[in-house]
Amino acid sequence: MTRYPRNLIGYGPNPPAIEWPDGAKVAISLVLNYEEGGENCILHGDEASEAFLSEIPNAQPWPGMRHWGMESIYEYGARAGFWRVRDLAVSRNVPLTIYGVATALARSPVQVAAMKEAGFEIASHGLKWINYANFSRDEEARHMAEAIKLHTEVVGEPPRGWYTGRCSHNTVEIAAESGAFDWLADNMDDDVPSWFEHAGRQQLMIPYSLETNDMRFSAGTFHTSEDFFAYLRDTFDTLHAEGEAGSPKMMSVGLHCRLIGRPGRIKGLADFIDHVQARGGGWFATRSEIATHWKARHPAPPVGTPRPSTMSRDDFVARFGGVFEHSAWIAERAFDLELGPAHDTAAGVHNVLARAFRAAEEDERLGVLTAHPDLAGKLAAAKRLTPESTAEQAGAGLDALTDAERARFTELNDTYQGKFGFPFIIAVRDHDKAGILSAFESRISNDRDTEFATACTQVERIAQLRLEDMLA
């Protein structure tokens, strides 16, 4: 593997300048997963009963049999839990995004009517509430197309958002390729939306969360409504403080009819909504509202924007071959390292170039040192420096020396070269003229091993500064 597809950098230290409506510090997405009637069940053509997200500890699937208790728990979500959550949302005037499993929605026409009457957004949660990990790509794509068709028939319009949940490694790509969705949510990789480029288009990703999520009741990490409320409150308060400090984020709250819809748990959600509304600074929004806002304020970058990790070898070497002075071989070797999205930055490219430099034999690194010009030397006087070196030396005032300064630099250059066998190298942009001269006079007393290491460090620093200019 020489290209690593996972994105471990995201926005890094430079998050987008987010401005939520009305100056909100946190955008809050309340998501109600409607899965009841779409779960694993032999009545639905599945091989075994459901075993996930219920009140039954350590539940196991029953192959070839119906599981009356499991079915009853899911039925509770449709018969009682949904209405309890619906009533709370309506009474507090907060919007819900429904992640609706298409077959579950088809079996719940009264609940669908209630969702529409309340103005809830109804996104797709797949055809069935099952695990797609071992599906073929074609079979999963067929299920997705069937889910869209059934959803459209049941709801009256196609879904504009998608979340599979128990997805495969193909899910996001299949959904993006379809071009059917304004947003996808099968990512839990950030606190803000992002763009995913695939198959010639940019797909908006709105992250979801499994920790600000009532599924932790079934996992045994939340026990009381106070547990749920406290965790949601602390999350909101932390994000609110970050928003006040100039870095607004979003917060997803995952809900399930059969879990949060229990009378002993719903109070935790009610307390959280009350806390946000009392404190202020929270924007309760559907995911489509967040998507619309994001697209207007943070539009997708052009498709095919060149990135270091996707460049051809020739383009990569042409772009970065001169970062280390007259040493294109460093870029050639760096290209063969494992590159990914994290290397599409100045720091990322610098890291792989520096790795290639550090891994080289000593005589190769010496060749890089000797490729550098003397400071204020003959090449500079003859205007034979690279454009980068010319600009760097001029920026430090080395193109405007007095006769005495020039004579001193010439003397030091000759002495240094005679002692070490390579030119004095320093990242001149980190110093003024006096500082450079002082470092020159100090370092000339070093032993060769110390000075060789120091010169190599300075070569890497020069490369870093050049890349920061190139990839700002």
Side-chain angles (χ1 to χ4, degrees):
M1 180 187 294
T2 60
R3 291 299 175 266
Y4 190 68
R6 295 172 61 196
N7 188 339
L8 302 180
I9 179 66
Y11 294 111
N14 302 300
I18 298 172
E19 294 182 1
W20 297 126
D22 300 321
K25 309 305 178 187
V26 188
I28 304 167
S29 169
L30 300 180
V31 173
L32 181 62
N33 293 266
Y34 197 88
E35 299 155 349
E36 290 75 9
E39 78 278 14
N40 282 284
C41 178
I42 64 170
L43 293 176
H44 306 159
D46 302 308
E47 295 180 353
S49 62
E50 185 57 69
F52 191 46
L53 290 185
S54 78
E55 309 296 337
I56 302 174
N58 302 313
Q60 298 297 317
W62 289 8
M65 293 186 289
R66 292 179 62 186
H67 191 312
W68 184 270
M70 182 65 73
E71 291 179 17
S72 294
I73 288 172
Y74 270 75
E75 288 161 13
Y76 182 93
R79 293 162 56 126
F82 168 77
W83 301 104
R84 190 168 281 123
V85 179
R86 189 282 306 261
D87 291 347
L88 174 63
V90 171
S91 69
R92 298 301 198 275
N93 193 31
V94 294
L96 292 182
T97 293
I98 306 295
Y99 284 173
V101 173
T103 50
L105 296 177
R107 296 181 175 116
S108 300
V110 176
Q111 290 91 333
V112 170
M115 295 172 192
K116 296 175 68 174
E117 182 181 359
F120 298 159
E121 173 187 19
I122 309 178
S124 183
H125 195 6
L127 180 65
K128 304 172 69 174
W129 176 227
I130 59 177
N131 194 331
Y132 283 87
N134 295 317
F135 272 55
S136 70
R137 188 185 183 96
D138 288 345
E139 184 68 3
E140 185 176 359
R142 187 185 68 77
H143 269 229
M144 188 175 293
E146 190 174 341
I148 295 171
K149 179 177 181 295
L150 180 57
H151 183 109
T152 303
E153 293 172 0
V154 172
V155 177
E157 58 185 9
R160 301 310 308 163
W162 179 275
Y163 172 72
T164 295
R166 292 192 272 187
C167 63
S168 76
H169 70 282
N170 294 315
T171 301
V172 170
E173 291 185 356
I174 294 170
E177 289 168 11
S178 75
F181 306 107
D182 293 334
W183 55 267
L184 306 180
D186 276 301
N187 64 308
M188 290 160 277
D189 56 5
D190 215 319
D191 295 313
V192 293
S194 59
W195 292 97
F196 170 69
E197 182 177 333
H198 178 70
R201 68 186 305 271
Q202 294 282 9
Q203 176 66 62
L204 183 62
M205 307 294 296
I206 301 182
Y208 189 50
S209 172
L210 300 184
E211 43 90 38
T212 46
N213 193 305
D214 66 2
M215 68 182 295
R216 294 177 62 188
F217 282 113
S218 66
T221 49
F222 289 154
H223 299 284
T224 69
S225 64
E226 286 82 3
D227 294 338
F228 190 53
F229 165 58
Y231 195 85
L232 297 185
R233 179 201 63 211
D234 292 349
T235 301
F236 173 77
D237 288 350
T238 297
L239 294 176
H240 191 284
E242 293 178 3
E244 286 189 320
S247 184
K249 305 290 196 319
M250 71 165 286
M251 174 182 177
S252 293
V253 179
L255 308 168
H256 299 78
C257 301
R258 63 195 175 278
L259 297 178
I260 197 65
R262 295 283 177 173
R265 295 171 179 161
I266 194 73
K267 185 176 183 297
L269 178 61
D271 288 347
F272 170 68
I273 295 171
D274 292 344
H275 173 75
V276 173
Q277 292 182 332
R279 178 165 187 182
W283 174 43
F284 286 101
T286 66
R287 295 178 91 76
S288 282
E289 288 172 334
I290 293 172
T292 297
H293 179 86
W294 194 266
K295 290 178 179 180
R297 298 297 184 94
H298 309 279
V303 172
T305 300
R307 294 180 283 121
S309 67
T310 61
M311 288 179 176
S312 68
R313 174 182 290 275
D314 288 346
D315 288 345
F316 186 90
V317 174
R319 180 77 165 129
F320 304 114
V323 171
F324 280 70
E325 197 89 357
H326 298 296
S327 302
W329 61 267
I330 293 178
E332 291 170 354
R333 294 183 189 180
F335 181 85
D336 292 329
L337 298 175
E338 182 185 271
L339 305 184
H343 297 99
D344 294 334
T345 62
V349 175
H350 181 259
N351 183 269
V352 291
L353 293 178
R355 284 177 58 192
F357 175 61
R358 295 166 190 166
E361 299 294 334
E362 182 172 331
D363 63 333
E364 293 177 308
R365 286 182 287 146
L366 177 60
V368 177
L369 301 188
T370 58
H372 280 257
D374 289 332
L375 292 184
K378 295 177 182 178
L379 290 178
K383 301 186 182 301
R384 291 172 55 194
L385 301 180
T386 64
E388 294 83 2
S389 290
T390 299
E392 289 158 358
Q393 293 203 23
L398 300 186
D399 63 338
L401 300 176
T402 65
D403 290 342
E405 289 170 336
R406 187 172 301 281
R408 181 58 175 153
F409 270 101
T410 299
E411 177 188 2
L412 289 170
N413 280 326
D414 292 343
T415 302
Y416 187 97
Q417 279 272 16
K419 181 176 181 179
F420 298 116
F422 51 84
F424 176 75
I425 300 171
I426 190 170
V428 295
R429 286 168 57 180
D430 289 336
H431 308 274
D432 58 16
K433 183 166 55 179
I436 294 169
L437 192 58
S438 175
F440 210 155
E441 293 171 338
S442 172
R443 284 171 49 187
I444 207 167
S445 63
N446 286 337
D447 61 75
R448 189 183 185 281
D449 288 347
T450 299
E451 192 54 23
F452 185 87
T454 301
C456 287
T457 298
Q458 290 299 304
V459 165
E460 292 183 15
R461 173 61 177 162
I462 292 168
Q464 176 187 351
L465 293 170
R466 290 177 177 179
L467 286 166
E468 288 174 356
D469 288 342
M470 296 169 66
L471 297 174

